[in-house]
Amino acid sequence: MKKRTIITARSIGFCFGVTKAVELAKKILDKHKCLVSLGDLVHNDLVMTELKEKGMRVVTSISEIKGCPFIIRSHGLPPDILEKVKKQTSIIYDATCPFVKKVQNLIRVLSADKNFIFLVGDSAHPEIKAMKKIAGKNCTIVNPQSNTDFSYIKAARWAIIGQTTLSLNLYRTAITRILKRIPAEKITIFNTICPVSIERQSEALKLAGNVDLLIVVGGRKSSNTEKLVLTGKKINKNTILVETPEEVKKLSFANFQKIGIISGASTDVSCIKEILRILRNHPAQKNHRG
Amino acid sequence: MKKRTIITARSIGFCFGVTKAVELAKKILDKHKCLVSLGDLVHNDLVMTELKEKGMRVVTSISEIKGCPFIIRSHGLPPDILEKVKKQTSIIYDATCPFVKKVQNLIRVLSADKNFIFLVGDSAHPEIKAMKKIAGKNCTIVNPQSNTDFSYIKAARWAIIGQTTLSLNLYRTAITRILKRIPAEKITIFNTICPVSIERQSEALKLAGNVDLLIVVGGRKSSNTEKLVLTGKKINKNTILVETPEEVKKLSFANFQKIGIISGASTDVSCIKEILRILRNHPAQKNHRG
């Protein structure tokens, strides 16, 4: 059997927004020794475990904040929740991803300009939840994979916004479906998909076609990681998601000679390095190398 | 055989813009006894013949204007041509359709705001020609029925504009094709299809499904009339275009018991009344009535 090849994607590790959020959290923890976030700061269990070891607390209820410094997670926070947080603590740090922040500001402008807003994304995801609250009444969440009827909505101006971590392909499908009727005088479509997500999806697509197995390293709760897996699977059914180096140890790679590795935006590069080390020293590989 | 039924559409005769243009032309002709237009004022030979009898001249070259009062046709005029016309005559009347005018102003705003503009329509039609000149360099005409590749175009902001007389269905198809790639940060789609066109298309669709034969009365050069025929044919292959009452006299209606009549936006109601009169007294019908 030939020697195994491992191809690592060009864009791996933390994205700009996650780097900023994690660095900010570490800095605060060094100073205050404690920090609270409402839900995970970023969607990656390994990263969250590390932060928790440094004193971070992830709570699910505002009442648990109790005077601790607070950090707004990378996915943003609905304005009403932020108001409630302010009553619990006076020290608030903002780790909202700059791209998410840009979209939130866009939604504010569009709402003030009386646009009816379609938010294409996952209604259970914190990013979309925050955006919906900002948009207010004249807005609806569109599940990109379901065939909702929008004919009941009456408005002169419409805007279409996508969750920043959506796959460009899913976003297109949703837009085409929304546009099937064009009763509005003006429909504005904003390409709000984060440039990092677009770049990684495009790399996943290329890589998937060029390897026997594509490993996507990322959190199981991470939306952008999920979209990378979906994107890879379109080209190569041997596309798998792994969250930790431990998981890699349990897998067999005997059937795969060419392996590709890509990561979600909240995956630390040290985790990828560890996975690469395991893969290179994997027993199956040693055996094959003879 | 049962008695023949003739159903006339609710919206027939001149639309608002054509009424305005024809009335203005008649008023000027009463006053000046002469009037020049570059190309047909409206796309209807019967109407044009009537105006020509009153002293109107339709020219194809600016040099033929020679000091006569000039009227801007309902489809609008490119700005550079208008400048040349101004050198030939000092009396200029504007009969541009109010909807076309609105779209022209919109194009001016979008161009100034650095949008790349897709003009969906017929490149040979005077309306689109005028719009293209207004849009300038950052614009391309999209034939709604051909599959052009737009991937070479680089722009951050895009706008999609449709010829006012386009069928809503064709416009949708063209939009979907343009949107297949969404590299732009912002794409704005304007529903520029004239409300009269939309209403008549919707009536043509309903009527076509309810009759044995649909007669669309209108000019052969008229874009909105052509779209009514296309719309009718989608439901009923027995959809025909007639331009004059004379044409109706030559046809046989023996096989049709239920006939629907609709008209383009530049068809005079007197022409439709004459066609109705002919149909009611048509020999074939008399025979059938016994």
Side-chain angles (χ1 to χ4, degrees), chain A residues 96-116:
Chain A
T96 310
C97 157
F99 291 118
V100 173
K101 199 127 202 155
K102 201 177 147 190
V103 180
Q104 288 181 342
N105 289 334
L106 177 62
I107 291 174
R108 274 184 196 99
V109 172
L110 291 169
S111 281
D113 197 30
K114 291 184 181 151
N115 282 270
F116 187 94

Side-chain angles (χ1 to χ4, degrees), chain B residues 35-80:
Chain B
L35 180 64
V36 181
S37 84
L38 205 54
D40 285 347
L41 179 73
V42 299
H43 275 149
N44 187 304
D45 280 351
L46 285 186
V47 176
M48 288 315 294
T49 305
E50 195 196 337
L51 291 174
K52 282 172 188 167
E53 280 165 6
K54 288 181 191 289
M56 184 153 193
R57 277 198 302 127
V58 176
V59 301
T60 50
S61 156
I62 295 166
S63 63
E64 296 170 78
I65 297 170
K66 292 174 197 146
C68 279
F70 181 85
I71 190 164
I72 302 173
R73 65 202 306 198
S74 58
H75 319 96
L77 210 61
D80 59 328

